[in-house]
Each structure stands twice: as C-alpha cells, then as structure tokens.
Amino acid sequence: MDPLSIARWQFGITTVYHYIFVPLTIGLALLTAILETAWVRTRNPDYLRATKFWGKLLLINFAIGVVTGIVQEFQFGLNWSSYSRFVGDVFGAPLAMEALIAFFLESTFLGLWIFGWDKLSPKLHAMCMWLVAIGTTASAFFILAANSFMQHPVGVQIDAVSGRPKLNDIGAVLFQQLQLVTFSHVIVACVATGAIFMVGVSAYFLARKRDLAVFKPSMRLGLWFLLVSSIGIVITGDMQAKIMTEVQPMKMAAAEAQYTTQANASFSVFSIGTLDGKEETFSIRVPGLLSFMGTGDFNGTIEGINDVQAQYEKLYGPGDYSPNIPLTYWNFRLMVGAGFAMVALSIVGLWMTRRGRLPEKRWVWRLAMLSMAAPVIGNSTGWIFTEMGRQPWTVVGLFKTADSVSPTLTTGAALTSLMLLTAVYGVLALIEVRLMVKYVQVGPLGAQEALASIEKLPPPDPDDPNAHTSDENRVLTFAY
C-alpha cells in the first residue's frame, strides 16, 4: 500500500472511533441537565439518583472522548501536513473558537459540576450541567463549520502567490447554509444517541426489576427524546439532501449510483449490482423519491455521475472526480435505515410503556439493549458517506486528497503510526467498555446515600485527632 492509502485508513479508523464518544457526550449532557433540573424543581430524590447515575456514565465517556480526540489531532501534522498548511489560514479561526470558547466552557463547568455538589446551591449546580451541554454543542458547531468549509468552501479568496485560500469572511464560514443544516442534523443525531443509550441501559434494569423508581422515568424520558430527535433527523436529513444536490451534485448522484441525469428519478430501497457498482442487476425502487429528496419536486432533475464528471473535467481538467460508488451507496442506505429504525423504536417503545406498563417478554428488553447499536451505525455510516462522497477532494474544487498527504511520509512510517494508534484506540475501547459495564452494574445510589452525598458537611474540628483521617476517608462526591 502507498502512504496516501495508509494515511486515509488511519484517519478513517481514528475518526470513526472518536465519533462514537462525541454524540453520546452531547446527548447525555442534555439529558443529565434535564434530570437535575427535575430534581431541583421537585426535590424528588429519585431524580437526584438518576442525575448522579447518568452523570457518572457521562464523565467516563467524556474522559475517553477527550483522549481519543487529542490523539487524533497528532495525525494532521504527522500524515497531512500539506493539507494543514493549505487550510491553516481558514481553520485557525473556528478551531481557536472551539478551544477558547466551547472547550473552555464545557471543561470548566464540568469540573465545577464534579466537585461542586456540596459547595454550590442546587440551582447553580444544575446550571453548571446546562453550561456543559451548551459547551459541547458549541464545540460541535465550530468543528462542523470547518468541515462544511471542506465540503463547500466559502468566505475566502485564493492568494495569487501561495495559491492557498485566505479567510476574508468568517461569518460566511460559520453561517453558510450547508453548515447550519449539517449542524442541526448532527445535533439531533447526538440527542438521539444519548436518548437511546438511556433507553438501552434502563432496559437492563427494568428487565431485572431493579430500581424501578429511577429507570421507569429514565426510560420514558429517553423514548420521548428519541422520538423527537429521530423525527428531527429525518427532517434535517431531507433539508441536507436538497442543499447537497445544489452544492455537491456528484455526492447526491453517487448516493444513488445514478450515472445519467434524470427527471422523476427513483430511489432504490434495495439494490444488487456488479462489483464495480456501475451496473444494476436487481433493485426495489420508489418512483420519483430521489427527485423529491434532492429538489422537493417528484419531477425534479437529478444530475448523473457521467454528466457531473464531464462538467468537472471542463472546470478542473482531466481526472476521475467520482467517489467510490458502492461504498457511498451502501453507507447512505445504512445511515437512512438507522434513522428510520430509531423512529420506529421510539413509537413502539412509548406504546409498550404507556401508563406505567412494562413488557413481560425478555426479548423485548434484549431488543431495547441491542438498539443502542443503531445510532453508532447511523453516525458512523453518515460520517463515512459525507467524507467519502466528496472524494477526490479534501477541499472541494480547491485541493485534492492526493495532494494533502505529507510529502515526507513513507510507507513504513505511515504503517507504524497506523498500527500504534489502532493499538492505543483498542486499549481505550477496552477501558471504556470495562468502566461502563462496571458502573452500570453497580447501579444508582439509594435515596439516603444520594441525599447524604450533597449535604454540606461542617469544617473539621482542628482539635479532633481523627479529623484528618475522616476527611481522607470521605467518599469522592463525583463518584457517588
């Protein structure tokens, strides 16, 4: 394999892995903030127990997510220095905002939340988690602004000497239409990820009839948020498809493996074709649906791969401007399928748990636990579709992937870093799973324990010889 292919594999592995943690952190932060607000307003200790239980899982996920994100950034200098040099003037602003505003907000107030249970008033403490939720969402906004620039570069002019883009309108980069729709789509997917995680873990306890006072409300909260967010995924996905058709017609054509321009274009629910993806042998199609997805009109025109290829050759010169069609085609379907599966799951789940009912069949609970894989599949395939669909470009129309790799990168160096980072991420995966399983099995605190953990204790008596020992033995508030 050549260094470029290895660097691309490495970037794909590390990013897909990192992206398992990010949506769960964003979604769980919001749901934990809601549960703590319910505790502050009602003083029902079961909401406090739920807040501490889900908050503990949030902390584990947040910590591993930060570590995987830091490791991921090293590869930009290691494997993609040409790309980093090319986009440096543009990416500096949104990435600096992400670090100075969003990450500062989420990390500072998460620290206050962890250590402030018995030091801040309940309202101030709950506000800390809301600010964490806002910080994680803002972080996603700035990162997606940089990514949207790669998909549809705006707000820049090309420097005549260096040939690199120079930022002249940060507002255009942050608020272009593609960015706003992509951000909305990703955020509702994050909420769905947190909600279905809450549903799956709650199912584990409800199947065993443990801590019903904590997990029945958690299950219902997760299901309602899953319903709203998964419908939001469908709506924002439809909006994104229409903008994608306008600014990235090749990606839309690749999503359907459509080679010729068509009006009233059909959408294939299922298709079998040749291995190169250029010929269809069997498919189940919905007439006009692809045109509606792309244009909002069942008779709208969707450009084909061959026609877009001819346009790009005139614009950019000879070359192959189509992405990997089978990969793009199937990832698009897996992404869409995962979204609709979550809509169906939320409706069925709300119906089966209506008016305090709980299903008796164990397979129902097992299915609810297995459903936690749905957002992982949807998020991962959605990201792969988004990034693979713009190939052969890293910055569409400006910079190709083949030109982005570090000029000094050798096959041996790329292979070594690939193996090392994959091994590190494998270890982190084991740590994450072990910690999550351990603290889920422990379950929530009892009501008295939870209330005792937030009580303000009097300062130690300096004349008490046991004061130092008792303070050392005090259980960490964040752990319980």
Side-chain angles (χ1 to χ4, degrees):
M1 294 178 74
D2 60 286
L4 173 62
S5 299
I6 298 170
R8 290 183 67 187
W9 270 105
Q10 181 176 311
F11 188 80
I13 291 170
T14 55
T15 306
V16 167
Y17 183 79
H18 176 61
Y19 200 52
I20 291 173
F21 302 99
V22 176
L24 184 56
T25 294
I26 295 173
L28 264 188
L30 173 65
L31 294 169
T32 304
I34 291 171
L35 284 168
E36 187 168 2
T37 303
W39 147 246
V40 171
R41 290 180 63 85
T42 66
R43 293 296 174 172
N44 181 342
D46 291 326
Y47 286 128
L48 176 62
R49 298 170 65 202
T51 301
K52 285 184 164 277
F53 176 78
W54 296 111
K56 194 188 310 174
L57 301 184
L58 166 66
L59 295 180
I60 295 169
N61 192 73
F62 180 85
I64 301 292
V66 169
V67 174
T68 57
I70 292 172
V71 172
Q72 187 188 10
E73 289 181 6
F74 283 114
Q75 66 185 317
F76 284 107
L78 187 67
N79 292 345
W80 303 100
S81 63
S82 296
Y83 161 79
S84 301
R85 192 177 301 111
F86 183 78
V87 298
D89 186 67
V90 183
F91 277 24
L95 295 186
M97 292 178 190
E98 194 273 336
L100 296 174
I101 299 173
F103 189 70
F104 173 80
L105 196 65
E106 60 185 307
S107 57
T108 300
F109 285 96
L110 190 61
L112 288 172
W113 190 84
I114 292 171
F115 298 107
W117 278 104
D118 56 350
K119 298 176 180 62
L120 301 174
S121 71
K123 286 183 179 178
L124 268 178
H125 193 268
M127 191 179 73
C128 288
M129 183 49 73
W130 279 107
L131 289 170
V132 171
I134 292 170
T136 56
T137 305
S139 180
F141 179 83
F142 293 120
I143 296 295
L144 288 170
N147 186 270
S148 294
F149 173 82
M150 295 162 65
Q151 309 287 339
H152 183 229
V154 294
V156 297
Q157 62 181 15
I158 303 301
D159 184 85
V161 178
S162 65
R164 297 199 294 265
K166 296 292 182 183
L167 184 66
N168 61 9
D169 187 353
I170 183 63
V173 174
L174 294 178
F175 301 108
Q176 66 159 310
Q177 197 175 18
L178 178 64
Q179 151 68 359
L180 296 178
V181 173
T182 302
F183 172 69
S184 304
H185 188 58
V186 168
I187 289 302
V188 289
C190 292
V191 175
T193 304
I196 209 166
F197 178 77
M198 190 169 275
V199 169
V201 174
S202 296
Y204 170 83
F205 286 93
L206 295 177
R208 290 159 177 76
K209 301 194 184 306
R210 281 182 56 189
D211 299 294
L212 298 185
V214 171
F215 291 107
K216 284 180 77 173
S218 294
M219 169 67 80
R220 293 288 291 179
L221 178 69
L223 285 170
W224 275 112
F225 268 80
L226 180 61
L227 176 65
V228 174
S229 58
S230 55
I231 291 174
I233 289 173
V234 175
I235 294 171
T236 55
D238 179 67
M239 295 164 64
Q240 197 174 21
K242 289 173 173 56
I243 295 174
M244 185 173 69
T245 303
E246 182 181 334
V247 302
Q248 292 181 295
M250 180 63 87
K251 186 187 287 187
M252 192 62 184
E256 183 54 30
Q258 178 173 300
Y259 283 87
T260 56
T261 300
Q262 293 179 27
N264 190 30
S266 61
F267 178 83
S268 60
V269 179
F270 179 77
S271 181
I272 299 174
T274 54
L275 290 177
D276 62 3
K278 294 186 176 180
E279 187 176 344
E280 180 181 286
T281 56
F282 172 78
S283 70
I284 301 172
R285 291 185 165 275
V286 180
L289 182 57
L290 183 64
S291 288
F292 181 77
M293 290 169 63
T295 66
D297 182 352
F298 285 101
N299 291 314
T301 300
I302 301 295
E303 292 184 278
I305 294 169
N306 293 336
D307 299 291
V308 180
Q309 168 71 24
Q311 294 171 28
Y312 284 177
E313 286 184 8
K314 288 182 181 177
L315 275 173
Y316 308 119
D320 184 0
Y321 296 96
S322 61
N324 184 312
I325 303 300
L327 195 62
T328 311
Y329 178 91
W330 284 111
N331 274 286
F332 182 68
R333 271 145 191 79
L334 287 170
M335 175 188 68
V336 173
F340 280 103
M342 287 189 285
V343 175
L345 176 73
S346 62
I347 294 172
V348 173
L350 285 169
W351 171 258
M352 298 185 80
T353 58
R354 69 192 185 282
R355 297 174 184 169
R357 300 179 187 184
L358 291 178
E360 295 295 331
K361 304 290 186 185
R362 292 192 67 83
W363 67 266
V364 174
W365 298 118
R366 289 180 184 145
L367 184 63
M369 287 183 267
L370 287 174
S371 69
M372 288 191 285
V376 176
I377 294 171
N379 292 332
S380 300
T381 53
W383 182 85
I384 293 171
F385 167 72
T386 300
E387 301 307 297
M388 290 298 296
R390 69 173 148 80
Q391 296 301 319
W393 306 99
T394 44
V395 183
V396 174
L398 297 180
F399 206 56
K400 289 186 176 178
T401 306
D403 300 322
S404 302
V405 73
S406 302
T408 57
L409 185 66
T410 63
T411 299
L415 203 55
T416 301
S417 64
L418 171 63
M419 290 188 292
L420 285 175
L421 285 183
T422 304
V424 168
Y425 276 36
V427 172
L428 290 174
L430 291 175
I431 293 172
E432 163 87 359
V433 170
R434 185 176 177 184
L435 288 174
M436 281 289 191
V437 170
K438 176 182 176 181
Y439 285 102
V440 165
Q441 288 177 335
V442 169
L445 293 174
Q448 293 304 318
E449 289 176 288
L451 290 170
S453 70
I454 63 171
E455 289 180 352
K456 292 184 179 179
L457 301 179
D461 184 353
D463 298 327
D464 182 358
N466 297 319
H468 182 65
T469 303
S470 61
D471 188 59
E472 277 187 341
N473 289 338
R474 186 180 167 200
V475 179
L476 290 174
T477 54
F478 81 88
Y480 293 94

